[in-house]
Amino acid sequence: MEEFFENELIRKFEEMVENNDELYFETEEYEDIIIYYLEMGDISFAEMATNYALKLHPNSLELKIKKFEVLLELENYTQAKELMQELQEASMESTDFLVCCAKYYSNLGNPRRAITFCERALELEEEENFLHNFIADEYVNLEDPFNALKHYKLALKYDQQDEYSLENVMFCYNQLSRSDEAIEFLNGYLNEFAFSETAWYEYGQFYFNRKNYEEAIRGFDYLLAINPQAVGVYANKAACYEAMGEWLKAVEVYEEMLELEYTKSFTFYKIGLCYKENKQPVLALNAFQKSLRDDPQFYLSMMEQSYIYEEMGSMKEALHFAKEAVSMNDNNLDYQKRLAFLYIDSGRFEESLVCLKKLVDFEPNRFYNWYAYSEVLMLIGEFEEAITVLNQATKLHKRAEIYYQLSNCYFHMNNQKEGRKALDVALDLDPNLLEDMKLKYPFIKEEVEKVKTKKK
């Protein structure tokens, strides 16, 4: 690997480019240079190396195939097709060319044609593991897990420790709902490769998905015995304990995980959630505070503190942390709803309007956003603005509540004509709400008999 990154050939090529020189490289050397840049994902340098190479070796079939590969990476399919047609007659015994053709058709959304070229390449008995994975991926694109499974297994046959093939074998079994065969296959694999981290991870996930958490933990424990530094696996093991309601055991696992992590805010957050579920709010608060010390902008912990303070009756602190969370994640509408509720609960109606306005802007199809927004406007005496809002709401929601609210606003504005008109509509839509609305809006109580008399 070190030789790959300290490649003398690459250094020589890059010095040539930098100094605008013209040095001689063999065809094979240019192939290695192009492959290096493709592996590194530096497509612009791969293209540059290809252009230099073909200028020096214009008739090289191998370099033209490399150009084909570069064109595919650049998504230049027009030129790629022209070059493919030019090379086809002379290159049908080249695995690299056939793979490029398969990639071309795969990228253009023709998986069956891609499979045809891969099958032709398999006849050359090279790169079998890669080709079977390629074919399997195309069958996945065709939503054919049966044939995909067959080829992922063949890929695994040619490289028995190919993690990609193994993961996808399990994925296909899952797609086919063949769980008995899946675990039989996995147990067989583990009998042969007992130290496979990927296999033990798949074993744990298999049982986790089937809610056999004890067996899932067994799989994750084997994996951690092989690799105690596998940080993510601790989270999977902790999730098993959480699913079992073993909150303190989950905390123990998360605390082990903390020893290995550089960024700890999310793990402290998870510990806080476990303590919260275990009815230990003080320890939960402590964990959420540690989360925020690690990352002062971790809004999930801010909002959780808000919930706990509310449960403890400390509404001032609940509002403070909700405001902080919303300031870090302004577009989270659930947070906006919570903040609006806390503002209303504390009697800070004007401040709640900012949240409520955002809700009707971003979720206009939710009736209760409009209902709450107009209700608060009425509470602070902004009846004219409430009428504007309610008239907008009527265009989206033919609900009696809106018209009861609208009639109340008009009556407060001494516009009896419009008030009665709105009340008339409300009564037609849902007369059963009348008694509740009379309690909420006293003006309606006075006016309803007049509207009923007029209707007679």
Side-chain angles (χ1 to χ4, degrees), residues 198-227:
T198 301
W200 281 117
Y201 178 81
E202 291 293 335
Y203 185 95
Q205 283 298 106
F206 176 87
Y207 281 109
F208 181 85
N209 292 336
R210 280 148 190 82
K211 299 184 180 181
N212 185 341
Y213 303 115
E214 292 89 348
E215 196 62 30
I217 289 169
R218 178 173 170 268
F220 294 135
D221 277 339
Y222 269 107
L223 200 167
L224 290 170
I226 298 164
N227 180 8

Side-chain angles (χ1 to χ4, degrees), residues 229-242:
Q229 305 298 311
V231 178
V233 181
Y234 289 94
N236 289 87
K237 182 179 173 181
C240 293
Y241 283 122
E242 289 180 60

